[in-house]
Amino acid sequence: MSLVEIRPLAAADRAAWEPLWKGYQAFYQMDLSGVTDLTWQRFLDPAEPIHAFGAFDDGRLVGIVHYVFHRSSWLAEPTTYLQDLFTDAACRGKGVGRALIEAVYQAAQARGSRRVYWLTHESNTPGRLLYDKVATNAGFIQYRKNID
């Protein structure tokens, strides 16, 4: 694989983004189709705190990452939540995921954020192999309750 280009997703990337977004949902056995259009619109709105990068190999979108800037009660500076990371199965283990994470680190630094964090499922062994190399496992366990 040649060196991938990492850049913010643009309106013209929607058709290429959607299969990766659906792949991400399938991996986590989720159906987020009800918010897909809204999520895409938010990426393109400069007033929104959520952003998206794509990894392109010879012009083909092979990976995506979504991240959110937010305030924290623990830090004075903004915090960055890396919300979604997904790469084309054929590109895994070739540096695409790492390049996307590094791009989020750079965006966070440019924004004055001093922390990037994310969650993954404990069964995501391939992802965790990478995450253990590029960050520290803080040991937290997530609890959640959906409010209807």
Side-chain angles (χ1 to χ4, degrees), residues 92-104:
R92 294 192 187 134
K94 298 181 179 178
V96 175
R98 179 187 292 263
L100 287 164
I101 292 169
E102 293 291 338
V104 172

Side-chain angles (χ1 to χ4, degrees), residues 92-95 97-98 101-102 105 118 125-137:
R92 294 192 187 134
K94 298 181 179 178
R98 179 187 292 263
I101 292 169
E102 293 291 338
Y105 288 168
W118 61 92
T125 303
R128 292 180 67 191
L129 289 172
L130 169 61
Y131 305 156
D132 287 342
K133 293 175 186 170
V134 300
T136 302
N137 180 342

Side-chain angles (χ1 to χ4, degrees), residues 13-90:
D13 298 319
R14 169 73 189 258
W17 167 81
E18 199 150 346
L20 293 171
W21 177 232
K22 287 180 181 178
Y24 176 82
Q25 292 174 60
F27 180 83
Y28 281 110
Q29 300 176 3
M30 300 289 298
D31 179 3
L32 303 174
S33 59
V35 295
T36 292
D37 288 337
L38 178 60
T39 296
W40 182 256
Q41 291 169 13
R42 287 176 172 163
F43 295 149
L44 303 178
D45 183 345
E48 287 284 345
I50 188 167
H51 306 275
F53 283 130
F56 294 83
D57 182 33
D58 288 330
R60 186 173 75 89
L61 185 61
V62 297
I64 57 173
V65 66
H66 309 149
Y67 59 100
V68 182
F69 294 121
H70 66 88
R71 295 187 188 276
S72 168
S73 61
W74 289 22
L75 298 169
E77 302 81 15
T79 299
T80 307
Y81 176 49
L82 189 158
Q83 189 165 25
D84 312 307
L85 174 68
F86 190 77
T87 61
D88 182 295

